[in-house]
């Protein structure tokens, strides 16, 4: 009997990648699934203020392969280890344990998490919010303030800034001059570089006062913030943060949760803590003011504040809230109030938007967010204010 | 990484192994080995080892999954992958050590021999495996590239067809009767049986069978049934159903004989390498690897382990039965070797276990029965005197195609409305409803009209209707 052995051929690497097309297609399916669950994902994941390479684990429910399988009342047979197995004992086992799983797998094995980079998630979110392409481009291509600028050339510098072309040229100049002056070359016609030939880019560091920004996220954490409201609020804060990152070197973020009193919290607590009871908006604003005065003095920091609420405030607090809001506009580049009233939630209770219409400061802006489609337009309105101020400044 | 062995080494060991294979009386197809790197190996795994296979995103999914598990070290790569084809093709991973390659080569011959001789594989047309898969791949690619069809529409059919691909006949050794023959059978069946006392009995009235009913008998090949009875399907759609069906049929025997097959290959690689005179270093590594492959996986079932134990037990009982066994089974009529070869040829996992998994083995293998509770398995029966038979029965029920619910088309014109009526042959195990719903949706899509599935839910008969775009569950009284 003849047996054939085919040796390994490295060039057959091409063939080994024949799953590339299928992988790509699967990737697309995963993306669709993510888009389907984006509200949940954004509402559940801590993503604001995290760096782009962060990997987010997303449970995927959209790419299961369905077939007829038995449910939970189908018993199975397993093997015990060395120890004795007793009835009632729970046999812990990884989902995918055991070899030889083929057809008719338990459905559980089809659940899996996929990993997505935050950048990819943002991309999907931008798609989901249907941010128009042009605007999206604007947002992304916004020039980041440069810290270093080239300015002329110097004879001294560090190696990496060596300008080879200019260096070579000055050597040639020196050579011509030397020849004219009647200097004889070495016998092998060499004319070596001299350290005076070296030319370096001169780089000046631009100190920009505006390179620090802080985002104050203030949120009403009354118990009524459901997944959709969280998604809307989080998307707004997130867009703001992302946008400011493109304009400033250093963006810090502060989360303030308030009901009748305010406290600074982590992102996680910010979105997951539900409190009930009444709402005193002024408490959140005063807390923000305290923090600004303590840590982010407006002479050193660009302060952006954004407050999300469903607009239910104690009437008695309205005056105080108005006063605090006015004070905030004094220290902030921009102060926005977003009122989240998802469609179908009904216009119960009061709305602060009307009340805040008394504030005439140009850097104050209110927006109303009813559904995710509202986020981008209101966000644009919000930022157009910022541009006005920038131009004026 | 330079492999610490050459092709010549492999050739030399292979010759030695082949000699032993012949000496032991194994009868494999000609064998071809291909040396691969790990990427290729992963890729082959995804496409069931086939050099050519049609594209579908699910293969991309399993690649990602395997690669992730592999990259994180959660799972290794299989030592062997063998294709049931003539000549048989197997892959050897380049980075494995020589001892592991030798072990794999011996193991491969076991599988190869099993493919060639077990009755369930007789229908797989091993001579044409590679060509068939290639032809399928070409046809599917052709449809994908056809501007009037395209990827999306091909994918839609493939997704639905994959969901139903294993809803097919399982015992392929029995010839399928054509619909015309089935009608004749039906007519034959309807005639009153011969009665020895005809003269004194009143004559039974002959009820003519409904020969117009489609299908005459419940039909398990769902994809083929839809292909042949849905006039709305275009030729390319019918062809895709045929392709998916044919490929599923090709793999059914492998599903049906997993335990036997892995056990058989392990049994023989051990035998062969024990006689091959391995140098000491290799011998030690061989023992370590062998034990890794053959160790039980506590909590689940290692088919290598269970299979090999049963084969060894058969050999022992026919070679050297103890007095109790001799009393029970009578004097042996066959040599142990002949018995092994006979079993290899005529059984599949379910019959193999039913006949040869003894009470002693159930105990020795420490088998237990469990019930699923969420993500946990809760032990419900352990192998004591009362329960070992139940455990064995449960095992038999859940090996091979036993894990696939039996669902057959009962009527293609249900309620005189061309709705498709299917019956689930309920055996105590309920369907997983989320999966049933989604699968019925696929069925609805392929059939083009309402589909109804009759099944039991918590012991009550229910009809699962999949209408326009949603499922309704109606209890049947």
């Amino acid at each position: 009997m003849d047996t054939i052995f085919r040796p390994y051929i490295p060039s057959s690497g091409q063939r080994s990648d024949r799953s590339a097309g299928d992988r790509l297609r699967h990737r697309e399916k995963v993306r669709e699934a993510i888009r389907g669950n984006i509200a949940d994902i954004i509402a559940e994941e801590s993503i604001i203020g995290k760096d782009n390479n962060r990997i987010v684990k997303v449970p995927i429910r959209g790419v299961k392969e369905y077939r007829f399988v038995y449910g939970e009342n189908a018993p199975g047979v397993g093997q015990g280890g060395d120890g004795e197995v007793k009835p009632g004992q729970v046999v812990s086992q990884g989902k995918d344990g055991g070899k030889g799983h083929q057809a008719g797998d338990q459905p559980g094995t089809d659940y899996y998490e996929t990993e997505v980079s935050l950048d990819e998630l943002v991309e999907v979110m931008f798609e989901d919010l249907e941010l128009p392409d042009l605007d999206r481009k604007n947002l992304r291509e916004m020039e980041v303030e440069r810290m270093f600028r080239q300015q002329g050339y110097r004879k001294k510098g560090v190696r990496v800034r060596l300008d080879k072309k200019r260096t070579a040229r000055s050597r040639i100049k020196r050579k011509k001059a030397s020849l004219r002056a009647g200097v004889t070359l070495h016998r092998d016609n060499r004319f070596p570089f001299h350290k005076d030939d070296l030319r370096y880019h001169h780089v000046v560091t631009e100190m920009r006062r505006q390179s620090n920004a802080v985002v104050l996220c203030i949120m009403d954490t009354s118990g009524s913030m459901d997944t959709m409201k969280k998604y809307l609020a989080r998307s707004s804060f997130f867009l703001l943060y992302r946008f400011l990152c493109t304009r400033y070197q250093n963006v810090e973020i502060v989360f303030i949760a308030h009901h009748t009193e305010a406290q600074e919290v982590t992102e996680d607590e910010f979105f997951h803590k539900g409190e009930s009871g009444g709402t005193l908006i002024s408490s959140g604003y005063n807390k923000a003011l305290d923090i600004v005065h303590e840590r982010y003095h407006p002479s050193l920091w660009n302060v952006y504040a954004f407050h999300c609420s469903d607009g239910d405030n104690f009437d008695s607090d309205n005056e105080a809230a108005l006063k605090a809001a006015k004070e905030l506009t004094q220290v902030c580049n921009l102060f926005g109030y977003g009122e989240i009233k998802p469609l179908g939630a009904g216009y119960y209770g009061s709305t602060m938007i009307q009340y805040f219409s008394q504030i005439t400061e140009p850097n104050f802006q209110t927006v109303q967010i009813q559904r995710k489609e509202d986020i981008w337009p209101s966000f644009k309105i919000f930022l157009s204010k910022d541009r006005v101020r920038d131009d004026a400044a | 990484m330079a492999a610490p062995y050459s092709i010549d080494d492999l050739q030399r060991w292979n010759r030695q192994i082949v000699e032993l294979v012949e000496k032991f009386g194994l009868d494999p197809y000609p064998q071809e080995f291909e040396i691969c790197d790990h990427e290729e190996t992963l890729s082959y795994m995804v496409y069931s080892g086939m050099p050519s296979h049609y594209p579908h995103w699910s293969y991309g999914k399993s690649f990602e999954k395997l690669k992730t598990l592999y990259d994180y070290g959660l799972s290794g790569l299989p030592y062997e992958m063998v294709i049931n084809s003539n000549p048989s093709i197997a892959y050897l991973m380049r980075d494995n050590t020589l001892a592991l390659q030798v072990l794999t080569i011996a193991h491969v011959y076991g599988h190869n021999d099993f493919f060639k001789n077990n009755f369930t594989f007789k229908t797989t047309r091993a001579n044409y495996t590679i060509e068939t898969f290639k032809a399928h791949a070409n046809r599917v690619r052709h449809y994908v590239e056809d501007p009037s069809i395209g990827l999306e529409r091909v994918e839609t059919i493939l997704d639905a067809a994959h969901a139903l691909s294993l809803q097919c006949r399982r015992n392929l050794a029995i010839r399928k009767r054509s619909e015309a023959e089935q009608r004749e059978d039906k007519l034959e069946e309807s005639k009153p049986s011969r009665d020895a006392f005809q003269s004194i009995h009143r004559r039974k009235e002959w009820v003519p069978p409904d020969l117009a009913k489609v299908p005459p008998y419940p039909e398990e090949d769902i994809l083929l049934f839809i292909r042949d009875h849905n006039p709305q399907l275009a030729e390319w759609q019918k062809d895709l159903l045929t392709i998916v069906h044919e490929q599923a049929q090709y793999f059914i025997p492998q599903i049906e004989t997993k335990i036997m097959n892995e056990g058989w290959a392990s049994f023989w690689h051990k035998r062969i390498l024990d006689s091959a005179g391995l140098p000491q270093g290799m011998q030690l590594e061989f023992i370590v690897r062998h034990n890794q492959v053959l160790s039980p996986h506590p909590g689940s079932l290692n088919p290598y382990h269970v299979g090999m134990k049963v084969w060894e037990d058969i050999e022992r009982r026919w070679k050297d039965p103890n007095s109790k066994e001799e009393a029970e089974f009578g004097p042996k009529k066959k040599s142990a070797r002949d018995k092994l070869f006979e079993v290899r040829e005529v059984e599949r996992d379910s019959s193999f276990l039913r006949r040869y998994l003894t009470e002693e083995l159930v105990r020795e293998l420490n088998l237990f029965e469990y019930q699923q509770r969420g993500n946990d398995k809760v032990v419900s029966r352990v192998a004591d005197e009362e329960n070992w038979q139940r455990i064995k029965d449960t095992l038999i029920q859940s090996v091979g195609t036993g894990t696939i619910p039996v669902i057959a088309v009962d009527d293609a014109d249900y309620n005189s409305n061309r709705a498709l009526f299917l019956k689930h042959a309920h055996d105590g195990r309920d369907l997983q409803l989320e999966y049933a719903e989604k699968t019925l949706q696929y069925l609805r899509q392929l059939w083009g009209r309402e589909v109804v599935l009759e099944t039991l839910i918590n012991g009550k008969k229910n009809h699962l209707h999949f209408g326009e775009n949603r499922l309704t569950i109606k209890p049947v009284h």
Side-chain angles (χ1 to χ4, degrees):
Chain A
M1 190 171 65
D2 258 356
T3 308
I4 297 171
F5 278 89
R6 283 197 212 91
Y8 174 68
I9 311 158
S11 66
S12 66
Q14 230 176 343
R15 204 182 27 173
S16 72
D17 203 28
R18 67 207 176 103
S19 65
D22 288 340
R23 266 150 46 206
L24 195 70
R25 188 72 191 117
H26 171 241
R27 221 40 228 166
E28 285 171 22
K29 292 225 148 220
V30 168
R31 236 181 122 93
E32 280 168 35
I34 292 174
R35 193 169 313 152
N37 301 326
I38 187 83
D40 292 340
I41 295 164
I42 299 276
E44 290 306 317
E45 281 287 328
S46 294
I47 51 172
I48 305 179
K50 295 285 163 53
D51 79 290
N52 299 356
N53 295 326
R54 205 179 90 95
I55 299 293
V56 181
K57 273 188 191 294
V58 178
I60 288 302
R61 283 153 255 164
V63 278
K64 278 198 239 177
E65 291 161 82
Y66 293 98
R67 46 181 74 227
F68 287 119
V69 292
Y70 289 120
E72 284 218 337
N73 69 348
V77 172
Q79 280 178 276
D82 295 331
E84 206 180 317
V85 188
K86 294 194 182 70
Q89 181 182 338
V90 173
V91 193
S92 66
Q93 192 238 348
K95 285 255 179 220
D96 234 355
K99 290 186 184 180
H101 278 277
Q102 290 210 5
D105 242 350
Q106 284 303 310
T109 45
D110 231 11
Y111 281 107
Y112 69 106
E113 284 185 331
T114 190
E115 296 184 336
V116 210
S117 76
L118 194 51
D119 255 354
E120 212 174 340
L121 201 61
V122 171
E123 185 107 344
V124 175
M125 189 173 120
F126 280 177
E127 275 170 32
D128 185 57
L129 295 173
E130 290 182 355
L131 305 192
D133 248 358
L134 198 72
D135 290 317
R136 208 196 308 170
K137 230 170 158 184
N138 248 335
L139 190 68
R140 278 219 225 106
E141 285 171 359
M142 183 71 63
E143 197 123 3
V144 175
E145 315 268 359
R146 287 184 85 148
M147 289 290 279
F148 299 103
R149 203 162 56 83
Q150 276 191 27
Q151 201 174 52
Y153 301 90
R154 292 282 163 98
K155 288 194 176 181
K156 292 209 164 60
V158 290
R159 186 87 191 162
V160 287
R161 302 224 173 97
L162 182 72
D163 186 325
K164 289 181 194 149
K165 197 170 162 190
R166 265 169 212 279
T167 303
R169 216 189 277 162
S170 62
R171 175 182 151 269
I172 293 168
K173 273 190 203 160
R174 193 167 54 81
K175 184 179 174 185
K176 294 275 185 203
S178 307
L179 288 175
R180 259 202 307 273
V183 175
T184 47
L185 298 176
H186 282 259
R187 49 189 151 78
D188 53 357
N189 263 356
R190 278 174 59 237
F191 191 80
F193 281 97
H194 185 268
K195 70 175 182 189
D196 284 346
D197 297 336
L198 303 181
R199 294 290 179 277
Y200 295 91
H201 293 292
H202 182 53
V203 172
V204 289
T205 315
E206 289 210 336
M207 290 303 289
R208 293 193 62 103
R209 241 189 67 210
Q210 285 206 335
S211 59
N212 292 327
V214 59
V215 187
L216 302 164
C217 301
I218 311 166
M219 190 161 75
D220 181 354
T221 49
S222 47
S224 58
M225 293 297 280
D226 59 12
T227 300
M228 196 58 198
K229 282 184 187 170
K230 270 196 280 180
Y231 173 54
L232 294 174
R234 196 185 278 245
S235 302
S236 308
F237 288 131
F238 184 62
L239 276 176
L240 185 67
Y241 171 74
R242 275 278 144 158
F243 179 74
L244 294 175
C245 282
T246 63
R247 311 191 86 207
Y248 298 103
Q249 293 285 322
N250 176 22
V251 182
E252 294 211 0
I253 191 148
V254 172
F255 297 99
I256 299 167
H258 75 86
H259 39 104
T260 50
E261 56 193 73
Q263 68 191 121
E264 191 177 346
V265 294
T266 65
E267 181 187 351
D268 207 43
E269 291 167 340
F270 190 65
F271 287 104
H272 290 100
K273 215 161 82 176
E275 306 263 0
S276 47
T279 307
L280 292 178
I281 288 180
S282 63
S283 69
Y285 293 174
N286 287 324
K287 183 75 183 175
L289 284 166
D290 289 348
I291 289 173
V292 169
H293 289 310
E294 256 167 53
R295 289 162 25 206
Y296 303 102
H297 197 271
S299 65
L300 293 170
W301 291 83
N302 295 282
V303 182
Y304 290 81
F306 198 70
H307 176 217
C308 278
S309 165
D310 47 13
D312 241 345
N313 197 26
F314 278 146
D315 283 345
S316 58
D317 184 52
N318 286 353
E319 274 312 316
L322 193 63
K323 182 169 163 284
K326 279 185 182 163
E327 262 176 66
L328 263 178
T329 59
Q330 301 305 313
V331 298
C332 291
N333 292 38
L334 196 58
F335 172 43
Y337 170 72
E339 192 158 286
I340 301 184
K341 286 206 185 290
L343 280 182
Y347 283 85
Y348 55 84
S350 57
T351 156
M352 289 297 289
I353 286 191
Q354 285 167 0
Y355 206 75
F356 280 153
S357 64
Q358 298 174 36
I359 304 178
T360 50
E361 271 71 7
N363 61 339
F364 178 76
Q365 178 67 44
T366 58
V367 292
Q368 192 168 39
I369 302 166
Q370 295 183 348
R371 54 189 161 200
K372 61 188 186 189
E373 289 80 21
D374 294 341
I375 291 177
W376 183 243
S378 57
F379 183 66
K380 273 199 302 188
I381 297 168
F382 182 57
L383 290 173
S384 67
K385 287 270 182 179
D386 186 38
R387 290 209 189 96
V388 169
R389 187 178 176 267
D390 252 15
D391 294 344
Chain B
M1 190 177 93
Y5 57 84
S6 67
I7 293 288
D8 285 345
D9 293 332
L10 296 181
Q11 288 277 20
R12 211 177 52 244
W13 279 107
N14 177 64
R15 275 195 293 277
Q16 207 173 332
I17 290 168
V18 168
E19 259 176 45
L20 290 164
V21 162
E22 283 165 358
K23 190 184 126 206
F24 287 129
L26 295 178
D27 169 32
Y29 293 123
Q31 182 67 50
E32 297 181 12
F33 290 99
E34 192 176 320
I35 318 288
C36 303
D37 63 19
H38 73 276
E39 289 271 341
E40 283 176 314
T41 309
L42 284 171
S43 206
Y44 276 129
M45 281 169 78
V46 167
Y47 297 100
S48 316
M50 296 301 164
S52 186
H53 198 287
Y54 66 76
H56 186 257
W57 61 266
S58 57
Y59 305 117
K61 171 179 155 179
S62 48
F63 185 92
E64 302 267 6
K65 201 165 170 181
L66 284 173
K67 180 123 176 31
T68 310
L69 292 175
Y70 175 71
D71 285 350
Y72 286 104
L74 295 175
S75 105
L77 292 174
Y79 299 142
E80 38 89 23
M81 209 182 339
V82 199
I83 302 186
N84 160 33
S85 63
N86 180 17
S88 170
I89 298 174
Y91 305 96
L92 299 175
M93 202 165 83
R94 181 181 59 143
D95 299 340
N96 286 344
T97 58
L98 181 60
L100 201 43
Q101 303 291 26
V102 171
L103 169 87
T104 308
I105 291 172
H107 190 87
V108 161
Y109 281 109
H111 281 307
N112 183 344
D113 167 78
F114 193 83
F115 287 144
K116 187 175 172 191
N117 294 289
N118 181 267
F119 86 102
T120 61
F121 290 89
K122 295 291 179 226
T123 54
T124 54
R125 306 200 312 151
N127 290 348
Y128 306 102
T129 302
I130 304 297
E131 288 86 341
T132 308
F133 275 76
K134 185 154 180 50
H136 288 168
N138 288 342
R139 265 144 69 197
V140 174
R141 289 213 166 82
H142 170 77
Y143 299 134
V144 168
E145 282 156 20
D146 185 334
S148 69
I149 302 171
L151 176 66
E152 297 268 331
R153 296 175 70 199
V154 168
E155 216 172 57
T156 310
I157 297 287
L158 286 182
D159 286 356
H162 284 181
L164 295 161
S165 64
L166 293 176
Q167 300 303 327
C168 58
R169 274 176 350 113
R170 291 133 205 252
N171 197 339
L172 304 176
I174 300 170
R175 190 178 71 83
K176 186 175 176 176
R177 309 275 284 165
S178 71
E179 265 194 39
E181 287 170 323
Q182 288 186 32
R183 279 198 194 91
E184 279 171 32
D185 295 346
K186 196 127 202 185
L187 199 61
E188 201 58 41
E189 228 174 54
S190 71
K191 289 180 184 152
S193 51
R194 284 177 61 87
D195 185 347
F197 303 97
Q198 244 170 13
S199 47
I200 53 170
H201 283 168
R202 215 176 75 157
R203 204 163 180 170
K204 266 199 202 128
E205 204 175 334
W206 179 62
V207 188
D210 176 11
L211 292 181
K213 181 166 174 281
V214 178
Y217 290 96
E219 172 63 58
E220 279 185 73
D221 282 325
I222 293 186
L223 288 181
L224 292 190
F225 183 84
I226 291 175
R227 178 194 70 184
D228 296 337
H229 294 90
N230 179 2
Q232 311 283 339
L233 291 176
E235 282 308 313
W236 65 269
Q237 292 173 315
K238 290 184 185 175
D239 193 31
L240 287 179
L241 298 187
T242 314
I243 288 172
V244 174
H245 172 79
E246 274 180 21
Q247 294 207 357
Q249 297 265 289
Y250 171 84
F251 288 113
I252 288 272
Q254 288 176 40
I255 298 172
E256 285 279 54
T257 57
K258 179 82 183 168
I259 291 176
M260 280 181 86
N261 201 345
E262 293 301 358
W264 183 254
S266 305
F267 178 88
W268 285 109
H269 83 227
K270 179 95 172 59
R271 242 357 92 86
I272 289 167
L273 293 190
D274 280 348
S275 326
L278 295 174
Q280 200 178 27
M282 275 170 85
Q283 176 68 25
L284 280 176
E285 191 185 341
F286 163 66
I287 292 169
V288 171
R289 300 290 187 182
H290 174 80
N291 287 340
Q292 278 170 0
V293 175
L294 271 302
S295 64
H297 304 152
S300 66
L301 205 75
N302 179 356
Y304 293 77
H305 183 230
V306 175
M308 176 150 166
K309 283 286 182 194
V310 179
W311 283 115
E312 281 180 344
D313 192 53
I314 294 173
E315 190 190 41
R316 183 195 59 78
R317 275 158 59 194
W318 261 262
K319 198 177 260 170
D320 183 22
N322 59 33
S323 50
K324 178 172 158 267
E325 283 157 356
E326 212 151 8
E328 197 174 337
F329 303 114
K332 53 187 178 182
K333 301 181 189 76
K334 270 198 178 76
S335 75
R337 183 68 45 86
D338 285 349
K339 182 65 189 174
L340 288 174
F341 286 168
E342 176 204 296
V343 173
R344 163 195 72 176
E345 192 174 331
V346 303
E347 310 290 357
R348 60 173 82 193
D349 279 356
S350 51
S351 60
F352 178 68
L353 295 174
R354 188 177 304 116
R355 287 189 193 166
Y356 303 108
L357 181 65
T358 58
E359 179 177 355
E360 289 72 28
L361 267 179
V362 171
R363 289 245 178 85
E364 194 191 326
L365 290 167
N366 205 355
L367 296 183
F368 59 84
E369 186 196 81
Y370 62 80
Q371 297 278 352
Q372 202 77 30
R373 297 258 181 288
N375 288 339
D376 289 333
K377 292 172 169 178
V378 181
V379 177
S380 47
R381 284 195 174 84
V382 293
D384 49 29
E385 215 161 301
E386 286 163 51
N387 286 314
W388 76 271
Q389 185 66 47
R390 281 293 294 273
I391 293 172
K392 179 175 162 177
D393 291 344
T394 305
L395 178 62
I396 290 166
Q397 203 181 33
S398 53
V399 295
T401 48
T403 49
I404 308 162
V406 178
I407 288 168
V409 177
D410 197 63
D411 190 356
D413 190 25
Y414 184 62
N415 279 345
S416 308
N417 192 25
R418 294 215 47 233
L420 192 66
F421 183 71
L422 303 109
K423 269 187 181 165
H424 169 212
H426 197 280
D427 59 359
R429 296 177 286 180
D430 282 7
L431 295 178
Q432 210 275 6
L433 282 179
E434 183 203 347
Y435 272 60
E437 174 182 349
K438 293 289 175 14
T439 312
L440 284 172
Q441 186 172 2
Y442 283 131
L443 198 53
R444 162 78 180 72
Q445 174 205 325
L446 289 179
W447 182 243
R449 299 182 76 97
E450 187 186 16
V451 293
V452 183
L453 173 65
E454 183 178 292
T455 184
L456 299 186
I457 301 173
N458 295 330
K460 304 236 163 54
K461 199 189 270 185
N462 276 280
H463 279 179
L464 278 50
H465 290 254
F466 205 99
E468 233 7 89
N469 46 31
R470 64 189 202 90
L471 181 78
T472 44
I473 300 177
K474 291 175 195 160
V476 183
H477 303 292

